[in-house]
C-alpha cells in the first residue's frame, strides 16, 4: 500500500486545521487534504485559526508562519496553552534560524519548507496520526484500568516515588479529596500522616516515605495512618508496593485491617500480660529474656536480671484475703513501674514473684536501684495491710551463660536474701561493700566538687587540667617562660597545686601566646610552680570535651605494630585519645591504625581493655624519645571501662588532695 493510500485509510477519523494566508496555495493544499480528512477546517490567518481551534479542538494543526493579524508561531503558542499535546506542523517558504529555534521551543512536531513535496507531507501527517491514535488507545486503556481499580475497596495509587501520579476513588475518599486534581494541587505525601509506632512501618525522620517503603526488607508491612476526618483516630493497613514492568512507576495498595489488628492486639495482650497488673507475664518474660541475652552478646553490653518477691505473702494473703491483696499488688506494681526506666522489662512471674531485666547498666547501679526500690516499698502505706517488704536478688549476665543458668543464679541469690532475714538485696558478687559507702553517683558529685579546689579570679591566665578549665583563685603571675629550654614558671601558693602529679600535662592560655600551650608539671617550691616540656598547640583545650587523666608512673600498655608487640609507658588517657612514650617508632606513620592492650589494677573486674586506635600526632621530645598521640576508635564496652577507670583515677587524686 502506497503512502497516500495509507493516509486515506488512517485519516478518516482525524480532524485537521489548515491555516495559510496565500490564497492560491491555500486552495491547492485544501483540495489535497480534502481527499483524506473528512473533518477539515481551513483558515486564512492566525486569528481565525486560533478561534477555530478553541471551538473544534482539531487533532492536527498545519500552519504557515508569516501571516497577517496573528502569525503562525504566536497562534501555535496559544494553542499549546489550550492543548499541550496537540500535533503541530509548521510550513514556511524561509529557512530562518530564529524562526526554527522558536518553533522548537514551542514543541512544534514538524517544520516543512515550501514548496512541500506531497509524499513528504503525507508521511509527516501519518506520523502525527499514529501518535494521536496511540494516545487515544492509551487513554481508553487507562480509563478501563481506572474503572477496574475504582471497584476495589482497597486504597490503590500509582507513584514514581516522588509523588502520586494516579489513584482510585477509595484512595481519594479516605484522604478527603473529591478529585485527583485536588490531591495533586495539595502536594499530597504520606509524611505527616503516618503514625510512628513500634510494630508498624514508618520511615526515619527526614527520609522519603516512598523510597523507604521500596527499600524495606519486610514484605507487606503493617502501617498506621491518621484518620483525616478524626486526627485522634488512626487506621491500620497492610501496604504493598510492586513495580510496573518496563516502567518507572509503582503500584501501591493499602488494605485496611483495623478491626483485625485491634482484635489481634487484644488477644496478644491477654496472652503476654498479667490480667491483674497488666505487666508482662512469665511466658512473655521468658521469651524476652532469651532475646535480650542474644542482643547483649551481639552488642557486648551488660545485662542485669533482678528477681524479687513480697516477704511472707502467703501469710498476708490468708490473713487479709485475695481482694485486699490484689489491691495492694496493683499499687505495689505501679510504685515499681514509676521508678524504672522506659527500657526496663518488668514482669509478674507468680502470685508474689516479680522480675526486672535491664540492659546496658552496671551491677553496682542495679544494686543501688534495688535498694531504692526496697526502701520505697518499705516506706509505702498499703490499705488494710499497712506495710510490705521485699527481698531482692540481682545478678549480671556472664559470658557463655544461657537463660536457664542466668535464671537459676538469680533465684539462688534471692534465696540467700531470704535466709539472711528478708527485706534486703543480695548479689553473687562483692559489690555491696563498694556501693553502700561510696555510691557511684555520689562519687561523681565528690569529683565535680573537688575539681573546684582550684578556682579562678585571674583575668589574664587560664589554666586547664582534665581538659576542664580550672582558673586559679589567687592572682597568678607568670614568673618566666623559656621556649628554648621548654620551661614555664608561674607564681602561685604551693598548696593550691596539690592536684598536680609529676609529669601531669596542663594547658595555659595567655594574651602573649599565639595559641594555647601545654606543659608538664615538674615541681613546686616556695610558691613557684615549674612546668617543663613546653609546647605550642593550635587547638584550645577548652574545646576538648572529655575528661582526661595521667595514669600512675608505672602504668604500662602493650602496643601492636605490624604484628610486633612492644611495651610502652602510658602517658595520659581520655575518652577520645591516649598517648605513650617510646623509643620504638619503626614504621609508625600518621593515620595508621594500632591495637593497644591496657591492663590496670584500678579497673573494676580487672579486665584487659583492647583499644582500637589511630595515630594522630608524633611529637619529638627530649633525648630522641617520641610521644605518640592516638585517637581512640573504641567499642561500647571499652568506652564504659575507660569511663570507669578515669573516674576512679580521679577519685584517687582527690583522696591525695584531701590528705594534703
Amino acid at each position: 500500500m502506497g503512502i497516500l493510500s495509507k493516509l486515506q485509510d488512517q485519516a478518516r477519523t482525524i480532524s485537521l486545521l489548515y491555516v495559510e494566508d496565500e490564497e492560491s496555495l491555500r486552495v491547492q493544499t485544501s483540495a489535497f487534504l480534502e481527499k483524506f480528512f473528512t473533518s477539515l477546517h481551513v483558515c486564512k490567518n492566525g486569528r481565525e485559526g486560533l478561534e477555530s481551534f478553541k471551538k473544534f479542538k482539531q487533532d492536527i494543526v498545519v500552519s504557515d508562519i508569516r501571516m497577517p493579524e496573528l502569525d503562525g508561531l504566536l497562534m501555535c503558542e496559544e494553542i499549546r496553552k489550550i492543548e499541550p499535546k496537540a500535533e503541530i506542523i509548521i510550513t514556511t517558504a524561509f529557512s530562518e534560524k530564529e524562526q526554527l529555534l522558536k518553533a522548537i521551543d514551542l514543541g512544534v512536531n514538524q517544520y516543512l519548507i515550501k514548496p512541500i513535496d506531497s509524499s513528504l507531507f503525507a508521511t509527516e501527517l501519518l506520523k502525527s496520526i499514529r501518535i494521536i491514535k496511540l494516545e487515544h488507545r492509551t487513554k481508553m486503556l487507562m480509563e478501563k484500568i481506572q474503572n477496574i481499580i475504582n471497584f476495589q475497596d482497597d486504597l490503590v495509587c500509582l507513584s514514581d516515588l516522588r509523588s502520586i501520579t494516579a489513584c482510585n476513588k477509595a484512595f481519594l475518599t479516605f484522604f478527603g479529596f473529591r478529585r485527583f486534581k485536588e490531591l495533586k494541587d495539595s502536594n499530597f505525601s504520606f509524611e505527616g500522616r503516618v503514625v510512628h509506632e513500634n510494630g508498624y512501618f514508618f520511615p526515619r525522620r527526614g527520609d522519603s516515605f516512598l523510597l523507604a517503603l521500596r527499600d524495606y526488607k519486610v514484605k507487606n508491612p503493617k502501617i498506621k495512618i491518621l484518620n483525616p476526618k478524626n486526627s485522634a483516630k488512626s487506621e491500620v493497613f497492610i501496604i504493598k508496593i510492586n513495580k510496573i514492568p518496563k516502567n518507572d512507576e509503582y503500584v501501591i495498595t493499602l488494605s485496611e485491617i483495623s478491626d483485625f489488628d485491634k482484635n489481634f492486639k487484644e488477644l496478644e495482650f491477654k496472652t503476654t500480660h498479667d490480667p491483674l497488673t497488666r505487666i508482662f507475664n512469665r511466658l512473655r518474660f521468658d521469651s524476652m529474656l532469651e532475646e535480650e541475652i542474644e542482643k547483649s552478646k551481639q552488642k557486648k553490653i551488660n545485662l542485669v536480671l533482678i528477681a524479687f518477691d513480697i516477704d511472707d505473702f502467703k501469710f498476708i494473703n490468708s490473713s487479709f484475703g485475695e481482694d485486699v491483696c490484689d489491691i495492694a499488688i496493683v499499687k505495689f506494681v505501679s510504685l515499681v513501674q514509676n521508678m524504672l526506666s522506659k527500657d526496663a522489662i518488668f514482669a509478674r512471674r507468680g502470685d508474689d514473684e516479680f522480675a526486672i531485666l535491664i540492659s546496658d547498666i552496671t551491677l553496682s547501679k542495679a544494686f543501688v536501684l534495688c535498694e531504692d526500690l526496697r526502701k520505697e516499698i518499705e516506706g509505702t502505706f498499703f490499705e488494710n495491710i499497712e506495710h510490705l517488704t521485699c527481698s531482692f536478688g540481682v545478678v549480671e549476665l556472664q559470658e557463655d551463660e544461657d537463660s536457664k543458668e542466668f535464671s537459676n543464679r538469680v533465684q539462688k541469690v534471692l534465696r540467700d536474701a531470704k535466709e539472711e532475714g528478708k527485706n534486703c538485696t543480695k548479689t553473687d558478687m562483692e559489690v555491696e561493700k563498694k556501693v553502700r559507702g561510696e555510691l557511684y553517683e555520689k562519687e561523681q558529685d565528690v569529683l565535680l566538687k573537688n575539681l573546684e579546689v582550684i578556682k579562678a579570679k585571674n583575668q589574664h591566665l587560664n589554666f586547664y587540667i582534665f581538659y576542664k578549665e580550672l582558673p586559679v583563685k589567687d592572682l597568678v603571675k607568670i614568673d618566666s617562660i623559656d621556649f628554648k629550654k621548654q620551661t614555664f614558671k608561674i607564681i602561685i601558693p604551693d598548696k593550691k597545686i596539690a592536684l598536680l602529679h609529676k609529669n601531669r600535662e596542663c594547658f595555659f592560655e595567655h594574651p602573649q601566646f599565639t595559641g594555647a600551650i601545654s606543659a608538664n608539671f615538674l615541681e613546686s617550691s616556695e610558691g613557684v610552680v615549674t612546668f617543663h616540656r613546653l609546647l605550642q598547640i593550635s587547638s584550645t583545650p577548652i574545646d576538648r570535651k572529655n575528661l582526661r587523666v595521667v595514669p600512675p608512673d608505672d602504668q604500662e600498655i602493650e602496643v601492636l605494630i605490624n604484628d610486633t608487640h612492644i611495651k610502652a609507658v602510658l602517658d595520659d588517657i581520655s575518652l577520645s585519645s591516649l598517648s605513650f612514650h617510646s623509643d620504638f617508632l619503626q614504621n609508625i606513620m600518621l593515620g595508621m591504625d594500632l591495637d593497644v592492650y591496657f591492663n590496670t589494677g584500678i579497673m573494676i573486674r580487672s579486665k584487659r581493655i583492647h583499644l582500637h586506635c589511630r595515630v594522630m600526632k608524633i611529637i619529638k621530645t627530649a633525648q630522641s624519645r617520641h610521644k605518640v598521640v592516638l585517637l581512640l576508635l573504641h567499642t561500647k564496652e571499652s568506652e564504659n571501662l575507660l569511663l570507669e577507670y578515669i573516674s576512679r583515677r580521679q577519685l584517687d587524686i582527690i583522696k591525695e588532695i584531701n590528705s594534703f
Side-chain angles (χ1 to χ4, degrees):
M1 185 183 291
I3 192 71
L4 296 179
S5 299
K6 288 181 181 179
L7 180 60
Q8 193 167 25
D9 181 59
Q10 296 290 324
R12 283 175 297 177
T13 58
I14 302 298
S15 60
L16 186 142
L17 170 63
Y18 177 53
V19 187
E20 172 61 60
D21 65 325
E22 188 181 334
E23 186 175 357
S24 60
L25 181 59
R26 184 171 66 248
V27 171
Q28 181 184 349
T29 306
S30 298
F32 173 78
L33 293 171
E34 283 175 353
K35 297 176 183 177
F36 310 102
F37 294 90
T38 54
S39 178
L40 175 66
H41 302 83
V42 181
C43 299
K44 61 184 178 183
N45 59 55
R47 192 170 302 282
E48 284 185 12
L50 181 58
E51 292 302 319
S52 176
F53 188 85
K54 287 179 180 179
K55 186 176 181 179
F56 298 106
K57 301 287 193 306
Q58 292 91 344
D59 297 313
I60 300 174
V61 177
V62 179
S63 173
D64 188 14
I65 291 181
R66 295 181 181 274
M67 293 185 294
E69 296 193 33
L70 184 69
D71 72 35
L73 292 180
L74 289 175
M75 180 194 73
C76 292
E77 187 175 353
E78 294 300 316
I79 287 173
R80 275 277 181 255
K81 292 176 183 177
I82 301 168
E83 179 51 66
K85 292 185 178 181
E87 287 289 313
I88 299 175
I89 298 173
I90 288 294
T91 64
T92 181
F94 306 95
S95 179
E96 297 179 8
K97 184 178 180 181
E98 184 179 343
Q99 301 288 353
L100 177 60
L101 290 175
K102 189 171 181 182
I104 292 171
D105 289 339
L106 289 173
V108 168
N109 301 91
Q110 297 298 333
Y111 189 94
L112 301 177
I113 305 298
K114 299 176 185 177
I116 303 171
D117 178 74
S118 59
S119 295
L120 177 61
F121 192 20
T123 301
E124 298 305 330
L125 288 170
L126 269 175
K127 286 180 183 177
S128 294
I129 291 169
R130 289 192 190 105
I131 292 170
I132 291 165
K133 290 195 171 184
L134 179 61
E135 287 179 353
H136 284 334
R137 285 196 295 270
T138 303
K139 185 178 179 181
M140 290 176 65
L141 180 61
M142 290 303 295
E143 286 175 355
K144 287 181 181 178
I145 293 171
Q146 188 71 47
N147 288 332
I148 292 169
I149 64 174
N150 279 339
F151 281 107
Q152 296 190 40
D153 293 329
D154 291 344
L155 314 187
V156 183
C157 68
L158 297 180
S159 173
D160 57 6
L161 300 184
R162 293 185 298 274
S163 62
I164 304 300
T165 56
C167 66
N168 67 349
K169 283 185 179 178
F171 192 97
L172 290 172
T173 302
F174 177 82
F175 287 107
F177 298 101
R178 289 177 297 173
R179 292 183 294 276
F180 179 72
K181 188 176 184 304
E182 290 179 16
L183 181 143
K184 198 74 176 172
D185 291 344
S186 73
N187 293 320
F188 174 89
S189 69
F190 285 97
E191 286 85 352
R193 303 172 188 267
V194 176
V195 178
H196 289 219
E197 185 178 316
N198 288 337
Y200 299 91
F201 167 75
F202 59 88
R204 292 180 302 181
R205 297 201 181 278
D207 286 359
S208 161
F209 174 88
L210 296 170
L211 290 173
L213 177 63
R214 180 197 63 183
D215 300 334
Y216 196 51
K217 293 180 181 178
V218 178
K219 191 176 181 181
N220 305 335
K222 288 193 299 181
I223 185 173
K224 187 175 277 192
I225 298 177
L226 291 172
N227 190 316
K229 297 172 184 175
N230 182 2
S231 59
K233 188 181 176 184
S234 56
E235 308 296 339
V236 180
F237 296 86
I238 292 288
I239 188 165
K240 303 175 185 177
I241 182 167
N242 295 291
K243 192 174 188 304
I244 301 173
K246 299 180 180 179
N247 196 300
D248 292 332
E249 291 188 310
Y250 291 76
V251 178
I252 299 168
T253 308
L254 295 96
S255 306
E256 188 175 0
I257 57 163
S258 297
D259 292 338
F260 171 81
D261 189 67
K262 182 180 177 183
N263 295 335
F264 176 80
K265 283 201 159 197
E266 288 175 356
L267 179 62
E268 184 184 42
F269 189 88
K270 288 177 181 178
T271 57
T272 58
H273 288 70
D274 175 58
L276 176 65
T277 62
R278 301 181 72 80
I279 61 174
F280 291 120
N281 59 19
R282 180 172 189 154
L283 180 69
R284 179 61 180 139
F285 184 83
D286 288 346
S287 66
M288 293 177 83
L289 179 62
E290 297 277 0
E291 294 167 8
E292 291 299 313
I293 288 174
E294 185 67 25
K295 193 187 299 182
S296 170
K297 290 178 178 178
Q298 285 179 353
K299 295 186 176 180
K300 296 182 179 180
I301 56 176
N302 290 356
L303 183 65
V304 169
L305 177 60
I306 300 168
F308 60 107
D309 59 23
I310 301 171
D311 296 331
D312 305 314
F313 183 76
K314 288 182 180 178
F315 172 76
I316 295 169
N317 197 31
S318 60
S319 300
F320 296 98
E322 287 186 3
D323 292 343
V324 171
C325 285
D326 283 351
I327 293 170
I329 283 177
V330 170
K331 183 175 181 179
F332 170 88
V333 166
S334 177
L335 183 151
V336 173
Q337 275 183 314
N338 289 336
M339 293 183 67
L340 296 178
S341 66
K342 290 189 299 182
D343 299 328
I345 298 170
F346 181 30
R348 186 183 185 190
R349 292 174 59 86
D351 288 345
D352 65 325
E353 299 172 14
F354 299 87
I356 301 170
L357 196 58
I358 310 175
S359 62
D360 204 13
I361 186 175
T362 61
L363 187 59
S364 58
K365 282 191 175 183
F367 185 91
V368 173
L369 172 64
C370 292
E371 280 293 278
D372 290 342
L373 286 170
R374 184 185 65 77
K375 292 171 186 175
E376 188 69 23
I377 293 164
E378 186 180 19
T380 300
F381 178 82
F382 294 90
E383 191 174 349
N384 295 317
I385 299 173
E386 292 190 359
H387 295 286
L388 295 174
T389 62
C390 288
S391 300
F392 288 81
V394 53
V395 296
E396 183 180 36
L397 181 68
Q398 303 297 312
E399 291 183 12
D400 302 324
E401 189 173 39
D402 60 25
S403 59
K404 186 176 181 181
E405 293 166 334
F406 198 22
S407 297
N408 289 341
R409 207 154 50 83
V410 79
Q411 291 300 324
K412 179 183 179 301
V413 295
L414 178 57
R415 286 193 297 272
D416 292 343
K418 292 286 189 184
E419 290 171 5
E420 280 202 13
K422 304 173 185 176
N423 192 23
C424 63
T425 302
K426 287 294 295 179
T427 180
D428 61 348
M429 294 182 68
E430 290 296 319
V431 264
E432 290 99 321
K433 294 177 184 177
K434 295 177 182 177
V435 205
R436 289 190 188 282
E438 297 179 327
L439 298 180
Y440 182 82
E441 290 81 4
K442 290 182 180 178
E443 290 178 341
Q444 294 301 306
D445 290 340
V446 171
L447 173 65
L448 291 174
K449 286 175 185 175
N450 280 276
L451 282 178
E452 299 301 326
V453 167
I454 300 177
K455 290 206 169 189
K457 279 191 177 179
N458 185 276
Q459 299 291 318
H460 304 292
L461 181 68
N462 286 331
F463 179 30
Y464 302 84
I465 305 170
F466 298 145
Y467 290 137
K468 179 179 174 68
E469 188 173 3
L470 299 176
V472 184
K473 183 176 182 181
D474 301 293
L475 290 178
V476 176
K477 294 181 181 179
I478 298 176
D479 184 61
S480 63
I481 302 173
D482 190 334
F483 281 100
K484 288 185 179 180
K485 293 183 179 180
Q486 291 188 319
T487 59
F488 176 41
K489 293 182 181 181
I490 60 174
I491 299 174
I492 184 174
D494 186 78
K495 186 177 179 181
K496 298 298 180 183
I497 211 68
L499 188 61
L500 301 180
H501 282 221
K502 190 173 182 179
N503 288 328
R504 178 171 300 285
E505 188 176 16
C506 303
F507 299 91
F508 303 87
E509 283 183 332
H510 191 274
Q512 74 182 76
F513 306 148
T514 53
I517 63 167
S518 71
N520 292 67
F521 173 67
L522 182 63
E523 61 184 2
S524 62
S525 175
E526 298 179 357
V528 177
V529 184
T530 305
F531 299 87
H532 67 144
R533 299 177 187 167
L534 182 62
L535 288 172
Q536 190 90 35
I537 56 177
S538 57
S539 60
T540 304
I542 197 86
D543 293 335
R544 309 193 190 190
K545 296 178 181 178
N546 294 302
L547 296 179
R548 176 176 183 170
V549 297
V550 175
D553 291 340
D554 59 351
Q555 186 70 67
E556 282 192 340
I557 56 172
E558 186 178 345
V559 185
L560 182 62
I561 304 171
N562 296 333
D563 299 324
T564 302
H565 291 266
I566 66 162
K567 297 283 186 181
V569 177
L570 184 60
D571 187 62
D572 62 87
I573 191 165
S574 77
L575 288 179
S576 64
S577 65
L578 64 83
S579 65
F580 64 89
H581 279 87
S582 177
D583 295 318
F584 187 92
L585 287 171
Q586 185 178 359
N587 296 330
I588 295 184
M589 295 178 292
L590 290 176
M592 75 181 297
D593 289 347
L594 298 178
D595 285 333
V596 175
Y597 297 88
F598 172 40
N599 279 304
T600 172
I602 297 172
M603 180 60 58
I604 196 166
R605 299 187 297 278
S606 299
K607 285 200 175 183
R608 188 182 196 219
I609 312 174
H610 177 201
L611 303 172
H612 299 284
C613 307
R614 182 163 297 153
V615 179
M616 294 298 292
K617 190 188 295 184
I618 301 173
I619 304 168
K620 187 174 182 180
T621 60
Q623 299 175 346
S624 299
R625 287 172 62 82
H626 289 77
K627 177 179 177 179
V628 182
V629 182
L630 304 177
L631 172 71
L632 294 185
L633 309 170
H634 47 64
T635 62
K636 185 71 176 175
E637 182 183 24
S638 66
E639 181 180 40
N640 290 337
L641 292 171
L642 284 174
L643 181 60
E644 200 161 3
Y645 170 78
I646 290 169
S647 298
R648 290 179 177 275
R649 179 70 186 130
Q650 289 166 340
L651 284 167
D652 286 346
I653 295 168
I654 287 167
K655 289 173 185 175
E656 292 176 27
I657 294 170
N658 292 337
S659 63
F660 183 77

